[in-house]
Amino acid sequence: MGGIILALLVILAVLVITTLAKTIKIIPQARVGIVERFGKFQSKRDPGLNAVIPFVDKVRYMIDMREQVVAFAPQPVITEDNLTVSIDTVIYFQVNDPVAATYEIANYIQAVEQLTMTTLRNIVGGMTLEETLTSREQINSGLSIVLDEATGRWGIKVKRVEIKSIDPPMSIKDAMEKQMRADRDKRAAILTAEGQRQSAILSAEGNKQSAILNAEGQRESQILAAQADREAAILRAQGEGQAIQTVFQAIHDGRPDQSLLAYQYLQMMPKIAEGDANKVWIVPSEIGKALEGLGSTMNSLKGIPDDVEGPLKRVDMGSSEPALDLEKSSSAAAAVEEALAEAKEAEAPNRPQAAPPAPPTQPDQPAQPPADPTV
């Protein structure tokens, strides 16, 4: 009897535990439970601890209310220019109505995938390959609009549609790479040519400026050389003029006569004998008579008197100093005098200056009579 009672107690405990397990349901956060009673929708339960009628109500579905991301396999799509491209898509969606997502469609993920593929074929079918590769935003917006309209009755909200990759055929890839390489080579060649052009222009400008500067330098150099030659020629001419004046003045001061000319002739005779062509020089035996004849010959020269008498007369030939720039010379002399004065003052600032020496007395010269106009 005691064993039967114990068995009944055990069975009762098991029934109680089972009933409690069927009654209490824990729904996780961000999920919604769909409760059915005898196979019919009864209610939806929010996250947390929920109690249902055991053996009558059942939590049939657990719907995830978070935003979900689904990446679909690449699908072949034909473009307007009859080229097949492979497109990968990514869908971001969220369940807004768990009841509609459960009972309005059997598998909403598969439905979204198929709807995405059909819509993508419609959009890309009206574009060329070039437009398809460069119009990702346009394709994304078209897909989002169509999917949002179609999935609204399923209790699903499509947040965003992204094109992950667009892969054209290998032959098209090779052609595009060749075209891209050709374009890059073309741009590189153009840039190289532009660089060479700019370099040539800059080199030509530099050569032009260099030639101009060299020409200007040569011009200035030639001008300075010509000025130097001119001043040198002027100085040489002035020197020769001064020499001629000095010789002319010395001749007048020496009062030449026939004896002087005879003496000069005798001095020239050894020089005549020094010539390389004069191999033989004959000296006359009667040298005295030859000199007398030379003197008689010199007496016949017109304009030269035999004997000069009277006082010495100097002929004024002008200034013996070369012609210089008076302003420059006067300024230079003044600067030199000032420098010398400053130097003397610096050496002996307290020493009294000595009186200037008296000019030397010159012997009285006899008065010269007026020049004879016949001389």
Side-chain angles (χ1 to χ4, degrees):
M1 188 69 181
I4 295 173
I5 294 173
L6 182 60
L8 290 175
L9 291 175
V10 170
I11 293 172
L12 182 61
V14 170
L15 288 175
V16 171
I17 293 172
T18 304
T19 302
L20 290 175
K22 293 290 186 179
T23 303
I24 299 173
K25 297 293 182 181
I26 298 176
I27 298 176
Q29 180 66 33
R31 286 176 175 81
V32 173
I34 302 299
V35 178
E36 293 180 353
R37 180 173 295 175
F38 299 113
K40 184 180 178 180
F41 172 73
Q42 193 273 333
S43 64
K44 63 179 182 178
R45 300 301 177 89
D46 294 330
L49 184 63
N50 292 272
V52 297
I53 300 174
F55 307 106
V56 176
D57 296 340
K58 181 180 180 181
V59 180
R60 177 70 64 179
Y61 302 102
M62 197 73 68
I63 305 301
D64 193 346
M65 302 299 292
R66 295 173 296 179
E67 185 174 349
Q68 303 180 42
V69 181
V70 179
F72 301 132
Q75 297 293 327
V77 180
I78 300 176
T79 61
E80 186 180 6
D81 47 359
N82 296 325
L83 292 174
T84 303
V85 295
S86 179
I87 301 178
D88 295 348
T89 56
V90 179
I91 304 297
Y92 297 83
F93 68 93
Q94 185 177 11
V95 177
N96 293 331
D97 188 356
V99 178
T102 303
Y103 296 105
E104 294 294 333
I105 190 167
N107 188 343
Y108 58 83
I109 294 178
Q110 185 178 2
V112 170
E113 179 182 3
Q114 295 301 322
L115 184 59
T116 301
M117 292 300 102
T118 55
T119 306
L120 188 62
R121 287 190 177 95
N122 292 332
I123 295 174
V124 176
M127 296 181 178
T128 61
L129 177 62
E130 191 71 23
E131 293 175 350
T132 303
L133 295 175
T134 58
S135 303
R136 289 174 178 260
E137 290 296 331
Q138 182 179 352
I139 297 173
N140 293 338
S141 350
L143 284 173
S144 297
I145 294 173
V146 174
L147 291 175
D148 191 34
E149 292 177 355
T151 58
R153 67 178 186 273
W154 300 339
I156 297 173
K157 176 66 176 178
V158 176
K159 299 291 186 177
R160 188 176 181 84
V161 180
E162 292 290 342
I163 302 296
K164 187 164 64 174
S165 65
I166 301 176
D167 297 328
M170 293 302 299
S171 59
I172 302 300
K173 284 185 178 180
D174 295 338
M176 292 173 63
E177 290 178 359
K178 291 179 181 179
Q179 181 181 1
M180 186 180 299
R181 191 178 301 111
D183 290 339
R184 292 181 182 275
D185 293 340
K186 175 184 176 182
R187 283 183 288 177
I190 291 173
L191 292 177
T192 303
E194 288 290 337
Q196 293 177 355
R197 175 174 172 270
Q198 293 295 331
S199 176
I201 291 173
L202 294 177
S203 298
E205 289 290 337
N207 294 331
K208 174 184 175 183
Q209 295 295 330
S210 177
I212 291 173
L213 294 177
N214 290 332
E216 290 179 354
Q218 292 178 359
R219 173 193 171 196
E220 295 294 335
S221 176
Q222 292 177 358
I223 290 173
L224 294 176
Q227 291 179 352
D229 293 341
R230 173 176 171 271
E231 293 178 1
I234 291 173
L235 292 177
R236 283 194 296 270
Q238 290 178 353
E240 293 176 357
Q242 293 298 328
I244 293 172
Q245 290 179 358
T246 302
V247 173
F248 187 76
Q249 189 67 54
I251 292 173
H252 277 272
D253 292 343
R255 295 181 296 177
D257 55 3
Q258 295 294 336
S259 300
L260 177 60
L261 294 179
Y263 177 72
Q264 291 291 333
Y265 180 76
L266 290 176
Q267 284 185 338
M268 290 298 296
M269 290 178 65
K271 294 182 179 180
I272 295 174
E274 290 177 358
D276 295 336
N278 299 329
K279 302 299 182 181
V280 179
W281 177 254
I282 301 173
V283 179
S285 58
E286 297 178 355
I287 185 69
K289 294 181 179 180
L291 292 175
E292 292 177 0
L294 179 61
S296 63
T297 305
M298 291 300 176
N299 289 333
S300 62
L301 294 177
K302 295 181 179 181
I304 299 177
D306 294 336
D307 189 9
V308 179
E309 295 180 357
L312 176 63
K313 173 176 173 51
R314 295 185 60 86
V315 179
D316 187 8
M317 299 303 296
S319 176
S320 61
E321 297 295 332
L324 299 175
D325 192 350
L326 298 178
E327 294 181 358
K328 294 182 180 180
S329 60
S330 61
S331 62
V336 171
E337 291 178 358
E338 292 179 0
L340 292 175
E342 292 177 357
K344 290 179 180 179
E345 291 178 0
E347 291 178 358
N350 298 324
R351 186 178 60 186
Q353 296 183 356
T361 58
Q362 296 181 356
D364 296 337
Q365 293 182 358
Q368 296 180 0
D372 190 359
T374 58
V375 178

